[in-house]
Amino acid sequence: MEPEGWPGHIWLEGRTSVHLRNHQPKPSHMPRGPAAKTGEGFLNPAMAPARTRSVMLLADAIEHGWLVPEGKTIRALDALCATGVRPRRWRKEIPSQELLRITANDLDSDALAWARQSHKSNPVGDNLEWVPEPSRFAREQEGVVEDGIHWIEGDANKLMIQAPFQWIDLDPFGSPVGFLDAAIQAISRVGVLEVTATDTAALCGSAKTSAVRRYGAVGITDSYMHDDATRILLGTIARIAAMHDKSIHPILSLFDGHHVRVSVLLKRSKEEASDWRESIGYRIRSNPYHFSKQAEGEFSGPMWTGPIFDANIAGRMTAEKAISLCSGKDEDLPEDWDDIDIEHSKREIERTVRHISESAELLSQDHLLIAVDELGIAAGIGQIPSMKKIKSGLEDAGFKMARCHMPEAMFATNADWQTILEVARSAK
Ligand SMILES: C[S@@+](CC[C@H](N)C(=O)[O-])C[C@H]1O[C@@H](n2cnc3c(N)ncnc32)[C@H](O)[C@@H]1O
């Protein structure tokens, strides 16, 4: 039976046709902000960039063979898939589908009905079929495989206890803390965990009680709050991972608009997990800041103080790669799309990875993160030089500098604070 309101109206996200409910407005090509108007459980177009990056990361794991031995399949779970856009995009846009076993789960039968009907109405066309492995506790796995996606209606925590996966996506409403323990246990010996958190008030330090309760951390609402938010979430994941003898290696950690999104490689290793505290500390405000093991003065944390990107993987997240994988081809385009829609959609996909590959090297090692506005104040200059000028000044002094994918203008550098101030004062 078709879900109520079917087929709604059709939108293209990446290369995948999605069905929006009739009351949902046609998205702009650069949607921002939370899903308030679209309704819970239904497609939030503002999350399209996060889904595009997820397609790119999983495609990269297959293309560059960094997750499973060559020729082995990757079991990928979208544990809270709602209307199934992410698993449908994994299925449609990632090459070498024979190496993927995609499972899509949600509690909401209405959202799942839309997901399955959307998938059925927009077949991938490669006749991929597979049989799910039995769960740990039953001879058969629940759910149904349709056109290469295994759909399950149930509680995510229950499912993650029943079966191991090499890739798990957690995209809940608000905080992910209630799902982290089961997801970390469900990850095989090596696997990727992708986590979205929309409880940014807690992670950024304005909702202090929730921050302490959920993350055991305190924040400061200044220009470092977005970087703090990603690091506080990473620190929480590292702590829970260590409880299960696992270590984390961040691949991509971003604050994007109204949410935090981190993707980490988890590895089972008692030795490495025992060292988890080595990458945990506090950010001490000291003009500009430093990380310390001890909380002192004005501080935020505890948080992850290690690298937040993987240089190679994030370094391959270029605009060219995003376009080649995720930009709609002629056969994908909705009938009512004109040249302007196509152009806007391309630009949106490019924006999805803006500054990521350029900043990958710096963000995968020790660096200083600088907010441009604050640099102007600290350097005592009326007019702040352009990023381009600061970059060439720092490079002339023998350092690296890259703009970061952040809500405000920020850059990372391996230069020391004095050099940064001098460059800001002298760059013209
Ligand atoms: C923010 S939405 C997911 C959005 C989706 N990932 C996307 O990209 O469109 C959160 C989803 O979690 C589901 N959910 C909440 N608690 C759950 C649980 N314990 N098990 C499974 N699904 C759950 C809700 O039904 C809702 O669809």
Side-chain angles (χ1 to χ4, degrees), residues 53-54 57-58 61 66-67 165-170 176 180 183-185 187-196 229-242 246-254 260-268 279-280 304 306-310 313-314 317:
R53 290 187 290 265
S54 174
L57 283 184
L58 185 44
W66 48 263
L67 187 55
F165 294 92
Q166 283 94 29
W167 197 285
I168 296 182
D169 197 290
L170 294 179
L180 287 176
I184 287 166
Q185 291 193 63
I187 290 276
S188 312
R189 208 176 46 79
V190 179
V192 169
L193 178 62
E194 295 202 276
V195 183
T196 304
T230 56
R231 290 177 179 280
I232 286 172
L233 181 59
L234 283 171
T236 303
I237 297 173
R239 177 168 49 82
I240 300 174
K246 288 176 178 170
S247 65
I248 73 160
H249 170 80
I251 297 172
L252 190 69
S253 321
L254 298 173
V260 178
R261 174 94 173 153
V262 300
S263 305
V264 301
L265 187 72
L266 284 165
K267 271 192 200 162
R268 188 179 298 135
S279 300
I280 302 290
W304 178 260
I308 56 170
F309 274 21
D310 175 277
I313 303 171
M317 293 192 82

Side-chain angles (χ1 to χ4, degrees), residues 83 122 225 269 277 345 359 396 411:
T83 52
N122 301 279
M225 66 182 175
S269 156
R277 278 175 182 277
S345 146
S359 58
D396 288 348
F411 65 86

Side-chain angles (χ1 to χ4, degrees), residues 224 227 231 282-291 367-370 417:
Y224 291 108
D227 194 53
R231 290 177 179 280
Y282 297 86
R283 192 195 305 264
I284 315 295
R285 272 41 176 196
S286 52
N287 217 359
Y289 69 88
H290 66 274
F291 290 126
H367 61 268
L368 256 185
L369 184 67
I370 304 291
W417 181 231

